[in-house]
Amino acid sequence: MKNLSIAPIQDISLDQALRPKTWAEYVGQEKIKRNLRIIIDAAKKRGEPLEHLLFYGNSGLGKTTLSHIIAQEMGANIRMTSGPAIERVGDLAAILTNLSEGDILFIDECHRLNRIIEEYLYPAMEDFKLNIIIGKGPMASTMELPLKRFTLVGATTKVAMISSPLRNRFGATFQLSFYETGDIEKIIQRSAGILGVGIEPEAVKLISQRSRFTPRVANRLLKRARDFAQVEGQGLITESIAKKALDLLEIDEAGLEFGDRRILETLITKFEGGPVGLQTLAAATSEEQDALLDIYEPYLMQLGFMERTPQGRKATKLAYLHLGIKYKGNQNLL
Ligand code: ADP
């Protein structure tokens, strides 16, 4: 049998290896951590399962990771699923009836739960019972299945799309925000340690500046820089190796990728900087509206390159500067 402790790290899932397992390893989001620790300590003192929790924020900010740490702290099992994966009531019943007391049920993308499933979830969350209807028409009867007291942890990138009855059934809701650059630097340093690769402080800075303030992106870029260092360099990630790796990926100094720049360029060159409606912009860039809303726009707005106005999307002066396009004021507003 292979000794896991000396097996190369590639043998284990890398992403799993990089995922923080304790509060100490989970960098940033201090307010959320403080609140969660209180909620967890209080539940433990009362000897009760944790209240249902909802996390929202962009993809890669650490919602899943938080849920794992919570389970660990509570000494509970965690069962992972996602909104679209629960298609039928039977799927939900199978999941819920298999949970033990205090287990954590993590539902990713919980804004994509269908309405019928939601209706069944309400009594499950509130009274820990599932009312299953058996048969059809006048012969139909309801069977009440008692459930163990579990904790639902929901995660979503779109909190506005969660119906208010569902939202109200969570005991606490937390918004994860983009990370400070200093925190991303800490994450890169820690991950480099786990990957067993040397990295110069200037390279840490460079990668962190281009990581979209997001841990998942930071880890992804670090892995690419490591590949580059192994193939083109001596295995050490220097500033110049990091820069070459990121240039090859077409990620610029602001962390913009090809797709981000294309959106800004379209906004500026085809629509004179906007304002332009989401639908039109999606059509002009051949992007899904959802991708614009969830992936591109939050970061472009965070950088101050794009504004959402009631009239539509607008490129800011900063965006023109970044792309090296002469800013003539916003033509459509003149
Ligand atoms: P989400 O569920 O919000 O999409 P994840 O929890 O899957 O994000 O996080 C993506 C990756 O980023 C994780 O595997 C982990 O390695 C890293 N990560 C996320 N948050 C943190 C953090 N606060 N500190 C260190 N690493 C983090």
Side-chain angles (χ1 to χ4, degrees), residues 86-136:
I86 311 176
E87 286 177 6
R88 291 162 305 133
V89 179
D91 300 335
L92 181 70
I95 294 171
L96 291 178
T97 51
N98 276 308
L99 295 175
S100 306
E101 184 82 13
D103 275 3
I104 291 183
L105 173 62
F106 178 76
I107 306 187
D108 203 6
E109 296 189 73
C110 64
H111 62 276
R112 291 178 63 192
L113 280 166
N114 76 48
R115 290 292 175 255
I116 297 170
I117 300 289
E118 268 194 25
E119 295 286 336
Y120 279 91
L121 255 186
Y122 300 152
M125 290 172 79
E126 232 161 339
D127 305 319
F128 303 101
K129 63 184 188 198
L130 196 58
N131 297 315
I132 301 282
I133 299 165
I134 302 167
K136 277 191 180 143

Coordinates of all heavy atoms in Angstrom, one line a residue, residues 86-136:
I86 N -30.8 18.3 -7.4 CA -32.0 17.8 -6.7 C -33.2 18.0 -7.7 O -33.9 19.1 -7.6 CB -32.3 18.5 -5.3 CG1 -30.9 18.5 -4.5 CG2 -33.4 17.7 -4.6 CD1 -31.1 19.2 -3.2
E87 N -33.5 17.1 -8.5 CA -34.5 17.3 -9.5 C -35.9 16.9 -9.1 O -36.9 17.5 -9.3 CB -34.1 16.5 -10.8 CG -33.0 17.1 -11.6 CD -32.6 16.2 -12.8 OE1 -33.3 15.2 -13.0 OE2 -31.6 16.6 -13.4
R88 N -35.9 15.8 -8.3 CA -37.2 15.2 -8.0 C -37.4 15.2 -6.5 O -36.4 15.2 -5.7 CB -37.4 13.8 -8.6 CG -37.6 13.9 -10.1 CD -37.4 12.5 -10.7 NE -36.1 12.0 -10.3 CZ -35.9 10.7 -9.9 NH1 -36.9 9.9 -9.8 NH2 -34.7 10.3 -9.5
V89 N -38.6 15.1 -6.0 CA -38.8 15.1 -4.5 C -38.1 13.8 -3.9 O -37.6 13.9 -2.8 CB -40.3 15.0 -4.2 CG1 -40.6 14.9 -2.7 CG2 -41.0 16.3 -4.8
G90 N -38.1 12.8 -4.7 CA -37.5 11.5 -4.3 C -36.0 11.7 -4.0 O -35.4 11.2 -3.1
D91 N -35.3 12.6 -4.9 CA -33.9 12.9 -4.6 C -33.7 13.6 -3.3 O -32.8 13.2 -2.5 CB -33.4 13.9 -5.7 CG -33.5 13.3 -7.1 OD1 -33.5 12.1 -7.3 OD2 -33.6 14.1 -8.1
L92 N -34.6 14.5 -3.0 CA -34.5 15.3 -1.8 C -34.8 14.3 -0.6 O -34.0 14.4 0.4 CB -35.5 16.4 -1.8 CG -35.5 17.3 -0.5 CD1 -34.2 18.1 -0.5 CD2 -36.7 18.2 -0.4
A93 N -35.8 13.5 -0.7 CA -36.2 12.6 0.4 C -35.0 11.6 0.7 O -34.7 11.4 1.8 CB -37.4 11.8 0.0
A94 N -34.3 11.2 -0.4 CA -33.2 10.2 -0.2 C -32.1 10.9 0.5 O -31.5 10.4 1.4 CB -32.7 9.7 -1.6
I95 N -31.8 12.2 0.2 CA -30.7 12.9 0.9 C -31.1 13.2 2.3 O -30.3 12.9 3.2 CB -30.5 14.3 0.2 CG1 -29.9 14.0 -1.3 CG2 -29.5 15.1 1.0 CD1 -29.9 15.3 -2.1
L96 N -32.3 13.7 2.5 CA -32.7 14.1 3.9 C -32.8 13.0 4.9 O -32.4 13.1 6.0 CB -34.0 14.9 3.9 CG -33.9 16.3 3.2 CD1 -35.3 17.0 3.2 CD2 -32.9 17.2 3.9
T97 N -33.4 11.9 4.4 CA -33.6 10.8 5.3 C -32.3 10.0 5.6 O -32.3 9.2 6.6 CB -34.6 9.7 4.7 OG1 -34.2 9.4 3.4 CG2 -36.0 10.3 4.7
N98 N -31.3 10.3 4.9 CA -30.0 9.7 5.2 C -29.1 10.5 6.1 O -28.0 10.1 6.4 CB -29.2 9.4 3.9 CG -29.7 8.0 3.3 OD1 -29.7 7.0 4.0 ND2 -30.1 8.0 2.1
L99 N -29.6 11.7 6.5 CA -28.8 12.5 7.3 C -28.9 12.1 8.8 O -30.0 11.7 9.2 CB -29.2 14.0 7.2 CG -29.0 14.7 5.9 CD1 -29.7 16.1 5.9 CD2 -27.5 14.8 5.5
S100 N -27.8 12.2 9.5 CA -27.8 11.9 10.9 C -27.9 13.2 11.7 O -27.7 14.3 11.2 CB -26.5 11.2 11.4 OG -26.3 10.1 10.6
E101 N -28.2 13.1 13.0 CA -28.3 14.2 13.9 C -27.1 15.1 13.8 O -26.0 14.6 13.9 CB -28.5 13.7 15.3 CG -28.7 14.8 16.4 CD -30.2 15.2 16.5 OE1 -31.1 14.5 15.9 OE2 -30.4 16.2 17.1
G102 N -27.3 16.4 13.5 CA -26.2 17.4 13.5 C -25.5 17.4 12.2 O -24.6 18.3 12.0
D103 N -25.8 16.5 11.2 CA -25.1 16.6 9.9 C -25.3 17.9 9.2 O -26.3 18.5 9.4 CB -25.6 15.4 9.0 CG -24.9 14.1 9.3 OD1 -24.1 14.1 10.2 OD2 -25.2 13.1 8.6
I104 N -24.3 18.2 8.4 CA -24.5 19.4 7.6 C -24.8 19.0 6.1 O -24.1 18.2 5.5 CB -23.2 20.2 7.7 CG1 -23.1 20.8 9.1 CG2 -23.2 21.3 6.6 CD1 -22.0 21.7 9.4
L105 N -25.8 19.6 5.6 CA -26.2 19.4 4.2 C -25.8 20.7 3.5 O -26.4 21.8 3.7 CB -27.7 19.1 4.0 CG -28.2 19.1 2.6 CD1 -27.5 17.9 1.8 CD2 -29.7 18.9 2.5
F106 N -24.8 20.6 2.6 CA -24.4 21.8 1.8 C -25.0 21.8 0.5 O -24.9 20.8 -0.3 CB -22.8 21.7 1.7 CG -22.3 22.9 0.9 CD1 -22.2 24.1 1.4 CD2 -21.9 22.7 -0.4 CE1 -21.6 25.2 0.7 CE2 -21.3 23.8 -1.2 CZ -21.2 25.0 -0.6
I107 N -25.8 22.8 0.2 CA -26.5 22.9 -1.1 C -25.9 24.1 -1.9 O -26.1 25.3 -1.5 CB -28.0 23.1 -1.1 CG1 -28.6 21.9 -0.2 CG2 -28.6 23.1 -2.5 CD1 -30.1 21.9 -0.2
D108 N -25.0 23.8 -2.9 CA -24.4 24.8 -3.7 C -25.5 25.3 -4.7 O -26.4 24.5 -5.0 CB -23.2 24.2 -4.4 CG -22.2 25.3 -4.8 OD1 -22.4 26.4 -4.4 OD2 -21.2 24.9 -5.5
E109 N -25.3 26.5 -5.2 CA -26.2 27.1 -6.2 C -27.6 26.9 -5.7 O -28.5 26.4 -6.5 CB -26.0 26.4 -7.5 CG -24.7 26.6 -8.1 CD -24.6 26.0 -9.6 OE1 -25.2 26.7 -10.4 OE2 -24.1 25.0 -9.8
C110 N -27.9 27.3 -4.5 CA -29.2 27.0 -4.0 C -30.3 27.9 -4.6 O -31.5 27.7 -4.4 CB -29.3 26.9 -2.5 SG -28.9 28.4 -1.7
H111 N -29.9 28.9 -5.4 CA -30.9 29.7 -6.1 C -31.5 28.9 -7.3 O -32.4 29.3 -7.9 CB -30.3 31.0 -6.6 CG -29.1 30.8 -7.6 ND1 -27.8 30.6 -7.2 CD2 -29.1 30.8 -9.0 CE1 -27.1 30.4 -8.3 NE2 -27.8 30.5 -9.4
R112 N -30.8 27.8 -7.6 CA -31.4 27.0 -8.7 C -32.2 25.8 -8.2 O -32.5 24.9 -9.0 CB -30.2 26.5 -9.6 CG -29.6 27.7 -10.3 CD -28.4 27.3 -11.2 NE -28.8 26.3 -12.2 CZ -27.9 25.7 -12.9 NH1 -26.6 25.8 -12.7 NH2 -28.3 24.8 -13.9
L113 N -32.6 25.8 -7.0 CA -33.5 24.7 -6.5 C -34.9 25.0 -7.2 O -35.3 26.2 -7.3 CB -33.7 24.9 -5.0 CG -32.7 24.3 -4.1 CD1 -32.9 24.8 -2.7 CD2 -32.7 22.7 -4.1
N114 N -35.6 24.0 -7.6 CA -36.9 24.3 -8.2 C -37.9 24.5 -7.1 O -37.7 24.1 -6.0 CB -37.3 23.3 -9.3 CG -37.7 22.0 -8.8 OD1 -38.6 21.9 -7.8 ND2 -37.2 20.9 -9.3
R115 N -39.0 25.2 -7.5 CA -39.9 25.7 -6.5 C -40.6 24.5 -5.8 O -40.9 24.7 -4.6 CB -41.0 26.6 -7.2 CG -40.5 27.9 -7.7 CD -40.1 28.8 -6.5 NE -39.5 30.0 -6.9 CZ -38.2 30.3 -6.8 NH1 -37.3 29.4 -6.3 NH2 -37.7 31.5 -7.3
I116 N -40.8 23.4 -6.5 CA -41.5 22.3 -5.8 C -40.6 21.8 -4.7 O -41.0 21.5 -3.6 CB -41.9 21.2 -6.8 CG1 -42.9 21.8 -7.8 CG2 -42.4 20.0 -6.1 CD1 -43.1 20.9 -9.0
I117 N -39.3 21.6 -5.0 CA -38.4 21.1 -4.0 C -38.3 22.1 -2.9 O -38.3 21.7 -1.7 CB -37.0 20.9 -4.7 CG1 -37.0 20.0 -5.8 CG2 -35.9 20.6 -3.6 CD1 -37.2 18.5 -5.5
E118 N -38.3 23.4 -3.2 CA -38.3 24.4 -2.1 C -39.5 24.2 -1.1 O -39.3 24.2 0.1 CB -38.4 25.8 -2.7 CG -37.1 26.4 -2.9 CD -37.2 27.9 -3.2 OE1 -38.1 28.5 -2.8 OE2 -36.3 28.4 -3.9
E119 N -40.7 23.9 -1.7 CA -41.9 23.7 -0.8 C -41.7 22.6 0.1 O -42.1 22.7 1.3 CB -43.1 23.4 -1.7 CG -43.5 24.6 -2.6 CD -44.2 25.7 -1.9 OE1 -44.7 25.5 -0.8 OE2 -44.2 26.9 -2.4
Y120 N -41.0 21.6 -0.3 CA -40.7 20.4 0.5 C -39.7 20.7 1.6 O -39.6 20.1 2.6 CB -40.3 19.2 -0.3 CG -41.5 18.5 -0.9 CD1 -42.0 18.8 -2.2 CD2 -42.2 17.5 -0.2 CE1 -43.1 18.2 -2.7 CE2 -43.3 16.8 -0.8 CZ -43.7 17.2 -2.0 OH -44.8 16.5 -2.6
L121 N -38.8 21.6 1.2 CA -37.7 21.9 2.1 C -38.1 22.7 3.3 O -37.6 22.6 4.4 CB -36.6 22.8 1.4 CG -35.3 22.1 0.9 CD1 -34.4 23.2 0.3 CD2 -34.6 21.4 2.1
Y122 N -39.2 23.6 3.1 CA -39.6 24.4 4.2 C -39.9 23.7 5.5 O -39.2 24.0 6.5 CB -40.8 25.3 3.9 CG -40.5 26.2 2.7 CD1 -41.6 26.6 1.8 CD2 -39.2 26.7 2.4 CE1 -41.3 27.5 0.7 CE2 -39.0 27.5 1.3 CZ -40.1 27.9 0.5 OH -39.8 28.7 -0.6
P123 N -40.8 22.7 5.5 CA -41.0 22.0 6.8 C -39.8 21.1 7.2 O -39.6 20.9 8.4 CB -42.2 21.0 6.4 CG -42.3 21.0 5.0 CD -41.7 22.3 4.4
A124 N -39.0 20.7 6.2 CA -37.8 20.0 6.6 C -36.8 20.9 7.4 O -36.3 20.5 8.4 CB -37.1 19.5 5.4
M125 N -36.7 22.1 7.0 CA -35.8 23.1 7.7 C -36.4 23.5 9.0 O -35.7 23.7 10.0 CB -35.6 24.3 6.8 CG -34.7 24.1 5.6 SD -34.7 25.5 4.5 CE -33.4 26.5 5.3
E126 N -37.7 23.7 9.0 CA -38.3 24.3 10.2 C -38.7 23.3 11.3 O -38.4 23.5 12.5 CB -39.6 25.0 9.8 CG -39.7 26.4 10.2 CD -40.7 27.1 9.4 OE1 -41.1 26.7 8.3 OE2 -41.2 28.2 9.9
D127 N -39.3 22.2 10.9 CA -39.8 21.2 11.8 C -39.1 19.8 11.7 O -39.6 18.9 12.4 CB -41.3 21.0 11.7 CG -42.0 22.4 11.7 OD1 -41.7 23.2 12.6 OD2 -42.9 22.6 10.9
F128 N -38.2 19.7 10.8 CA -37.4 18.5 10.6 C -38.4 17.3 10.3 O -38.4 16.3 10.9 CB -36.5 18.2 11.8 CG -35.5 19.3 12.0 CD1 -35.7 20.2 13.0 CD2 -34.5 19.5 11.2 CE1 -34.9 21.3 13.2 CE2 -33.6 20.5 11.3 CZ -33.8 21.4 12.3
K129 N -39.3 17.6 9.3 CA -40.1 16.5 8.8 C -40.4 16.7 7.3 O -40.3 17.9 6.8 CB -41.4 16.5 9.6 CG -42.3 17.7 9.5 CD -43.5 17.6 10.4 CE -44.4 18.8 10.1 NZ -45.4 19.1 11.1
L130 N -40.7 15.7 6.7 CA -40.9 15.7 5.2 C -42.2 15.1 5.0 O -42.5 14.0 5.4 CB -39.8 14.8 4.6 CG -39.5 15.0 3.1 CD1 -39.2 16.4 2.8 CD2 -38.4 14.0 2.7
N131 N -43.1 15.9 4.3 CA -44.4 15.4 4.0 C -44.5 14.9 2.6 O -44.5 15.7 1.6 CB -45.5 16.5 4.2 CG -45.5 17.0 5.6 OD1 -45.5 16.2 6.6 ND2 -45.5 18.3 5.9
I132 N -44.5 13.6 2.4 CA -44.5 13.0 1.1 C -45.9 12.7 0.7 O -46.7 12.0 1.5 CB -43.6 11.8 1.1 CG1 -42.2 12.1 1.5 CG2 -43.7 11.1 -0.3 CD1 -41.4 12.7 0.4
I133 N -46.3 13.1 -0.5 CA -47.7 12.7 -1.0 C -47.6 11.4 -1.7 O -46.8 11.3 -2.6 CB -48.3 13.8 -1.8 CG1 -48.4 15.1 -1.0 CG2 -49.6 13.4 -2.4 CD1 -48.6 16.3 -1.8
I134 N -48.4 10.4 -1.3 CA -48.4 9.1 -2.0 C -49.7 9.0 -2.8 O -50.8 9.2 -2.3 CB -48.3 8.0 -1.0 CG1 -47.0 8.2 -0.2 CG2 -48.2 6.6 -1.6 CD1 -46.9 7.3 1.1
G135 N -49.6 8.6 -4.0 CA -50.8 8.4 -4.9 C -51.2 9.7 -5.5 O -50.6 10.7 -5.3
K136 N -52.3 9.6 -6.3 CA -52.8 10.7 -7.0 C -54.3 10.9 -6.8 O -55.0 9.9 -6.4 CB -52.6 10.6 -8.5 CG -51.2 11.0 -8.8 CD -51.0 11.1 -10.4 CE -49.6 11.5 -10.7 NZ -49.1 10.9 -11.9

